[in-house]
Amino acid sequence: MAQQSEPNGSLISIPSPTLPGQVIKKTIILPVRPERIAHIQYYDRTDSFLTHWGVMRYLLTPDAEYIQEAGERLREGDHPVAFPTETVYGLGADATRSTAVRGIYMAKGRPADNPLIVHVCSLEMLRSILKPSYEDDAEGLEEEDEELDPIPPIYKPLINRFWPGPLTILLPNPPDSPLAPEVTAGLPTFGARMPSSLLALLLIWSADVPVAAPSANASGKPSPTTAQHVKDDLDGRIELILDGGPCTVGVESTVVDGLCYPPAILRPGGIGIDQLKECPGWEDVVIGYKDSTHGGGSVGMSTKNGGSDAKSSEENEAPRAPGMKYRHYAPKAKVILVEYASNGQSSQEKIMARCVSSKLPVAGVLRTTKWVLPGLASHHDESTRSDFSIEYAPRRAIHSSQRQKDDYDGNDADTESSLSDSGSSCNEESDASIPDRHPEYEAKTTATADIDIFHIQHGPSSHKVTITTQFLGTTAAQVAQSLFAGLRDLDRTGVPVIFVEGIDAHHGPQAAAVMNRLRKAADVEGIEIGSIS
């Protein structure tokens, strides 16, 4: 067993890794903070910075020991490790070893034809995958030789602007690739990205191997944005979760393919299409995924993939990138998406009418930009008047798995956990307290979230429905950050159906990603017809 020191000087024991096939009795959560791990030296956001950032020295803290322990397990073990990134929590394994990568598929219950994204901590690590002989070829060169660089030139503008960050690029897998075949799922390409989360970079650096990592949830469930989400899904399936607090982006990375022309977006994510079009060579980037965000699909209430044609087309194709084929992001409750209506049509009227007509006893609603709680608006505003009788219950708090980052033991993820802003630093001294570290430790990223509960009727003799609502935010970035946690929170209340108010998919870099995830999660055909069983 590895001995770890408590802040008070006592020792705790982390169980040694189990052997393949052994039952994992308990999943351990270890809280870590980057400023308690190491002194970092890095430069401005240039290619040199991406290539040569590094750890000056580890600090003598439990956090540093936990990162080194996790890195050793990634490098030598066959059980995956869950860790935070700026997008969602990832489930990582050594991308060069088949036994380790298969552990990801087993823990998640992930289909074998769904490829994995490879995470790197430097361009040197990426080049060693694309061209294993690159270091020998480039040795002795004072400056980078473009002819020797195996990274396709089309990606250089994106790397310079968006890395490290929530962008995955599709690359050719070389014949002598060091990657395990399970990473690519038989495809001639693989996706790679460099996360901006300092914790993720330190973990990869410590492991000294490229890390294959999908989201750290049970396959098909909402992606995890806190350590508690991971534990809820994978407790007993994995050994170790690094708890770095809630994720700052909240949706997965954007996946792009620059190996074709015009270049294409295979999955929307933290980087928007308008941002990509600003980069040389990407002015004509197109949408390469099936989604009604950019044409097609249904009007009003929609289901996943924007319609049956898109759905059947994707299911018959091998996925070129994660998230393109299978149903994703769905809680236990059925999800019905209320598409954004630019004409100002009331989304709450639609939802309340559906609840009453379907004779639902209870329902959940995730509110966003256009929702006004019935009865709270001005009586002089005709657009918010309702034909429904409304009876409010007292506002109450529910146990929430999403906690604001500034409540997480003093850890501001925007400044301390990310390399997306040049000039950030990690200081040894901090006034923030260190969370308790113990094998029985529960994730510190839990709190309460206010919900509103009201009862509705349409006419005195109609069915009464109890609606539980939670607010996600008014901007695309806010909705993205809280979407998956909101789905999980309402799911825990036991509602059979969750209605989600959609947002304008063209408003904000993350808006298309939010609507894509909701369409993947929705599984009820149309709101205007049929009933919910």
Side-chain angles (χ1 to χ4, degrees):
M1 291 189 178
Q3 297 293 315
Q4 307 295 346
S5 60
E6 287 272 24
N8 60 11
S10 61
L11 293 177
I12 64 173
S13 296
I14 299 177
S16 301
T18 57
L19 297 175
Q22 286 185 326
V23 176
I24 299 172
K25 295 183 179 180
K26 185 171 181 62
T27 298
I28 298 175
I29 303 176
L30 299 177
V32 287
R33 291 173 54 194
E35 72 275 14
R36 295 283 189 176
I37 296 172
H39 283 306
I40 308 298
Q41 182 178 15
Y42 54 93
Y43 309 94
D44 293 335
R45 287 193 62 151
T46 65
D47 186 66
S48 176
F49 158 67
L50 292 176
T51 304
H52 298 297
W53 82 275
V55 174
M56 295 175 62
R57 68 180 177 87
Y58 275 110
L59 302 177
L60 299 178
T61 63
D63 302 63
E65 294 180 6
Y66 293 159
I67 283 289
Q68 293 178 75
E69 170 77 16
E72 181 179 347
R73 292 186 182 218
L74 282 177
R75 183 172 58 255
E76 300 177 2
D78 291 334
H79 290 289
V81 173
F83 64 97
T85 76
E86 74 280 13
T87 56
V88 299
Y89 272 67
L91 188 62
D94 179 358
T96 67
R97 294 188 295 112
S98 289
T99 54
V101 176
R102 285 198 290 267
I104 295 176
Y105 287 94
M106 292 177 62
K108 285 177 59 73
R110 183 181 178 91
D113 66 344
N114 202 4
L116 303 175
I117 291 174
V118 177
H119 295 68
V120 299
C121 64
S122 69
L123 292 185
E124 288 178 339
M125 180 177 283
L126 178 61
R127 290 178 177 123
S128 69
I129 299 173
L130 292 169
K131 189 176 182 181
S133 63
Y134 175 78
E135 291 186 6
D136 295 335
D137 295 342
E139 186 176 357
L141 295 177
E142 295 183 359
E143 296 182 1
E144 179 182 306
D145 189 330
E146 289 291 339
E147 293 184 0
L148 291 178
D149 191 355
I151 299 176
I154 185 67
Y155 290 123
K156 295 299 180 65
L158 301 189
I159 290 174
N160 289 335
R161 178 169 176 180
F162 300 118
W163 274 19
L167 181 71
T168 295
I169 59 177
L170 203 67
L171 295 161
N173 196 32
D176 55 348
S177 172
L179 297 179
E182 292 83 0
V183 170
T184 64
L187 296 173
T189 57
F190 71 97
R193 88 173 185 100
M194 186 187 300
S196 66
S197 164
L198 185 53
L199 281 173
L201 290 172
L202 284 169
L203 176 63
I204 301 167
W205 184 88
S206 178
D208 196 27
V209 292
V211 174
S215 55
N217 56 312
S219 187
K221 298 301 182 183
S223 296
T225 55
T226 71
Q228 187 60 48
H229 293 168
V230 181
K231 190 173 189 295
D232 290 343
D233 282 10
L234 302 181
D235 191 18
R237 299 189 191 183
I238 62 176
E239 295 177 332
L240 187 61
I241 303 171
L242 296 179
D243 183 358
C247 302
T248 56
V249 176
V251 292
E252 296 83 355
S253 62
T254 301
V255 181
V256 296
D257 183 359
L259 305 179
C260 60
Y261 187 83
I265 299 175
L266 302 184
R267 182 182 72 184
I271 304 298
I273 186 171
D274 292 334
Q275 294 173 291
L276 294 171
K277 287 183 175 181
E278 295 173 357
C279 297
W282 291 82
E283 297 86 353
D284 299 324
V285 62
V286 298
I287 302 301
Y289 57 90
K290 302 293 185 180
D291 192 298
S292 59
T293 298
H294 296 272
S298 59
V299 178
M301 293 284 182
S302 76
T303 61
K304 68 174 184 177
N305 300 333
S308 58
D309 291 341
K311 177 181 176 181
S312 60
S313 175
E314 285 195 359
E315 287 181 347
N316 291 330
E317 297 175 358
R320 296 162 61 194
M324 294 189 70
K325 180 176 181 180
Y326 295 98
R327 184 181 176 222
H328 287 74
Y329 323 115
K332 294 179 182 177
K334 293 184 177 181
V335 176
I336 298 181
L337 170 61
V338 186
E339 292 280 358
Y340 175 84
S342 59
N343 61 6
Q345 188 177 7
S346 171
S347 57
Q348 57 261 49
E349 290 281 341
K350 281 184 177 182
I351 291 173
M352 290 190 293
R354 179 59 180 270
C355 289
V356 170
S357 65
S358 300
K359 297 188 181 302
L360 290 169
V362 293
V365 177
L366 292 178
R367 316 188 313 270
T368 59
T369 56
K370 299 189 71 174
W371 180 285
V372 177
L373 283 178
L376 298 185
S378 169
H379 292 294
H380 300 289
D381 186 352
E382 295 292 334
S383 65
T384 60
R385 288 188 179 178
S386 173
D387 294 330
F388 292 85
S389 61
I390 302 165
E391 175 188 348
Y392 277 91
R395 171 174 285 194
R396 67 182 179 89
I398 61 171
H399 185 67
S400 174
S401 54
Q402 177 74 6
R403 188 174 184 179
Q404 295 299 321
K405 59 181 179 296
D406 56 357
D407 288 337
Y408 179 66
D409 298 298
N411 180 19
D412 184 346
D414 283 338
T415 59
E416 295 178 345
S417 300
S418 174
L419 288 185
S420 59
D421 297 319
S422 297
S424 300
S425 63
C426 295
N427 300 318
E428 183 173 2
E429 298 298 328
S430 174
D431 294 332
S433 60
I434 303 177
D436 292 337
R437 291 165 172 83
H438 191 274
E440 299 299 323
Y441 166 84
E442 295 294 333
K444 293 288 186 180
T445 53
T446 59
T448 57
D450 287 333
I451 64 172
D452 289 283
I453 301 174
F454 56 91
H455 312 288
I456 60 170
Q457 281 183 289
H458 193 274
S461 61
S462 68
H463 177 72
K464 179 184 286 189
V465 183
T466 299
I467 294 182
T468 300
T469 74
Q470 188 173 346
F471 183 59
L472 297 181
T474 58
T475 68
Q478 291 171 343
V479 174
Q481 188 178 28
S482 56
L483 173 62
F484 292 137
L487 288 171
R488 287 174 176 267
D489 288 343
L490 284 189
D491 212 26
R492 280 199 301 275
T493 69
V495 295
V497 178
I498 299 174
F499 294 89
V500 186
E501 182 189 16
I503 63 175
D504 184 351
H506 304 278
H507 188 67
Q510 293 88 23
V514 167
M515 293 304 291
N516 171 266
R517 302 314 189 264
L518 286 173
R519 292 183 177 113
K520 290 280 189 180
D523 63 356
V524 179
E525 294 287 342
I527 190 171
E528 306 301 343
I529 58 174
S531 62
I532 303 171
S533 57

